[in-house]
Structures are given as structure tokens and as C-alpha cells.
Amino acid sequence: MTTRPETGIVEDWCNARDGLAIALGGGGALGAAHVGVLEVLNEYGVFPPIVVGTSAGAIIGGAYAAGLRPSSIGKLVRKATWSDFGILNRRPKLGVLDTKGLLSTIEELGGDRLIEDLPVRFGAVATDVKTRKAVLFTHGSIGTALCASIAVPGIFAPVKRDGKWYVDGGVAANLPIQAALDMGAIHIIGVRACHEWDILHSKQVERELARLEELPEVTMIRPALEGYAQWSRKDVAQLIFRGREAAEAVIWGVSTP
């Protein structure tokens, strides 16, 4: 195991035990940075028992909660293509892609499972189309929850669950800190991949998330991702490295460039 730093933050995380959560934000391809963060945490003996994610963060978090090691997730992310997440939609007015591509990928990796049966507690955040409010999925099909969480309006068709329609969780809560609190977390490691969406109520959302990020029970990890493409996979390896770099910086109490 990697040598423990003198900052004490790793010990604090481990002492939180079942109350430790990691909240992984949305950001398209930038979400690859989450892999690097999880790699470093595990190397220091930190295994968050609560994982919650929005959009790309839900994909990475769901894989981790299902029992995949960060190194295995990294291999999958490095070779992933758009077809692993979506297929061309026959009704393009609802979105260019249909998230059935993601369901096919999940089946190939072992099949759809109930969220409540995963070895790690997991929650995925989506947005209710009618109310535009964040909805946290902690039960039921993980495939449907992930499809709803990544359904970026205009790119993916909305996803129907229990008679309601959902789109990408980033519309309402791109960084799911509140969702982690709702799941009973007493300390949260928040990982931000990008800023909030440029939508009408974004200022209100930004203010609320800024408040949550400053809570004493929240530790933020912010990989330096400026200049990287959000919708291209060409920088995946570098994005994972940036996640590692940011996690190490927080653990050792140093500043990143």
C-alpha cells in the first residue's frame, strides 16, 4: 500500500467508514478523470462505501459500485467509442442517439442488475423532464438509471422510467453532493469534471453547488481539465492522469499547476 501522507485526510476518510461517499460529476469525456481519482484513493486504502454520480460520473461510479477495479474501468474507458453508449435514433427529433447502446454494453459486461444488489451502495442522478428537478435513483435497473443520467438533451433521446421522462442529471445537478447527503453520507469526496450547464436557472444552481462545496464535510478534488475536449476520446489517457494528479495533490496538501 502507498505510504500514508502526513495531512491526515486519508485517516479522516477511513474513519468515516460507512458514511464516506464519493460524488462524481458530469462532463462527457472529461469524466475519465474520475478513473484516476478512484485509482489513487484505492491505492491509499480508501474505498468509499457510497458512490453517487451524474452523467459520466454515473457511468464510472456505476462500474465501480458493480465491483470493477479502477484499473479495469480505465481499460474500458480507453477503448470506448460512441457506439458503446448510443445507437442512431430512428426518431432523431428526440435526440441523435438512443441510449440502448449503453444497455447493450452493460449486457456484454455481465448483464443489467438491480442497484440495490450491487456490492457498493450506488445512486445515479437524472433530471425529471417535467419538473426540471434532480432525481436520485438508488433502486431498480442500473441500466435504466445510467441511461437516464447520461441522456444529454439533443444528443440522446429522453429515457422513460415508471411513467416519467428523464434527461441528463447535469441539467439539474452536475455535481451530486446533495444526492450523497440524501444517501446518508457524513463525509463526501466531490470530484468536479466541469462547470454547470449554461441554462436559464444555472446561476441558482451554481450558487447552491458552491454552498455545498464549502460544507465542512465536503472535500473537493478538481482535476485541471481546462483545454481538454468534452466530447472527444482522444485525451482519455491524459484525463485519467489529471484525475490522479488532482487526487494526489489533495491527499498530500499541495497545489497543482
Side-chain angles (χ1 to χ4, degrees):
M1 185 182 297
T2 305
T3 303
R4 291 281 180 96
E6 297 180 358
T7 60
I9 194 167
V10 169
E11 184 176 357
D12 290 342
W13 289 339
C14 292
N15 286 341
R17 300 183 184 279
D18 291 344
L20 178 66
I22 186 164
L24 305 175
L30 301 179
H34 296 318
V35 176
V37 173
L38 288 169
E39 286 178 347
V40 169
L41 293 182
N42 284 192
E43 288 167 8
Y44 282 88
V46 180
F47 302 91
I50 302 173
V51 179
V52 59
T54 293
S55 198
I59 296 293
I60 303 299
Y64 182 79
L68 291 181
R69 295 173 179 269
S71 58
S72 297
I73 300 172
K75 291 177 181 178
L76 293 171
V77 169
R78 284 181 173 88
K79 67 178 184 179
T81 65
W82 275 105
S83 63
D84 292 312
F85 301 98
I87 59 177
L88 288 176
N89 192 356
R90 294 180 180 179
R91 295 184 295 172
K93 288 183 179 181
L94 297 176
V96 177
L97 300 176
D98 190 303
T99 50
K100 289 179 181 178
L102 176 57
L103 291 177
S104 297
T105 300
I106 291 172
E107 287 298 329
E108 292 174 5
L109 293 175
D112 198 2
R113 300 165 67 180
L114 296 177
I115 296 175
E116 57 267 36
D117 290 341
L118 299 180
V120 176
R121 288 183 62 199
F122 175 67
V125 175
T127 301
D128 185 309
V129 171
K130 185 175 182 179
T131 66
R132 297 220 172 181
K133 293 186 180 297
V135 176
L136 175 63
F137 295 129
T138 58
H139 295 80
S141 161
I142 186 173
T144 303
L146 294 181
C147 286
S149 188
I150 71 164
V152 179
I155 297 180
F156 291 102
V159 174
K160 192 175 185 179
R161 171 172 162 154
D162 300 329
K164 296 182 179 180
W165 291 95
Y166 298 93
V167 293
D168 193 291
V171 173
N174 205 38
L175 183 59
I177 294 175
Q178 183 59 55
L181 291 170
D182 293 342
M183 291 181 69
I186 61 173
H187 192 98
I188 300 164
I189 302 170
V191 187
R192 178 178 283 287
C194 70
H195 294 292
E196 274 57 67
W197 289 33
D198 186 16
I199 52 181
L200 292 178
H201 61 279
S202 62
K203 293 301 180 184
Q204 179 182 350
V205 172
E206 286 179 11
R207 287 193 294 270
E208 176 59 15
L209 276 174
R211 181 189 71 81
L212 290 170
E213 289 182 17
E214 294 299 321
L215 292 175
E217 59 265 39
V218 174
T219 300
M220 286 301 302
I221 296 177
R222 299 181 177 88
L225 306 181
E226 295 80 5
Y228 291 100
Q230 187 172 351
W231 305 111
S232 171
R233 57 181 300 274
K234 66 183 180 68
D235 296 319
V236 164
Q238 187 65 15
L239 291 167
I240 293 174
F241 170 76
R242 288 297 185 185
R244 291 188 58 89
E245 178 184 58
E248 289 273 7
V250 169
I251 287 172
W252 288 94
V254 298
S255 299
T256 54

